[in-house]
Amino acid sequence: ILILFALLIVTVGMVHADDRISCAIALFLVASASASAFVLLLGYDHPFNARGGVFVEPTLLRELLVQ
């Protein structure tokens, strides 16, 4: 996935190579979207165990099940 993100950024940079301002804006938008997608993939890979990139404790779910 990281290679795909890098290729996407290179492609956008090559398309907008003649105008530096539009290149900077386009690269910022693509990099921000790629980073947020990557963080979402890390978080939702395995959200309740340590195998995923982001670890979330299911304490609220456990409290709901007790009640």
Side-chain angles (χ1 to χ4, degrees):
I1 292 177
L2 292 176
I3 295 172
L4 181 63
F5 289 154
L7 289 174
L8 181 64
I9 289 174
V10 168
T11 303
V12 169
M14 290 173 64
V15 168
H16 294 285
D18 55 340
D19 186 14
R20 295 231 182 234
I21 294 174
S22 68
C23 179
I25 293 170
L27 286 177
F28 174 74
L29 291 174
V30 169
S32 299
S34 299
S36 63
F38 189 67
V39 168
L40 285 173
L41 284 173
L42 284 176
Y44 287 108
D45 184 30
H46 297 283
F48 296 122
N49 59 15
R51 291 188 297 172
V54 179
F55 183 67
V56 177
E57 282 288 328
T59 55
L60 292 176
L61 291 175
R62 289 181 186 151
E63 288 177 9
L64 288 174
L65 289 176
V66 171
Q67 295 174 1

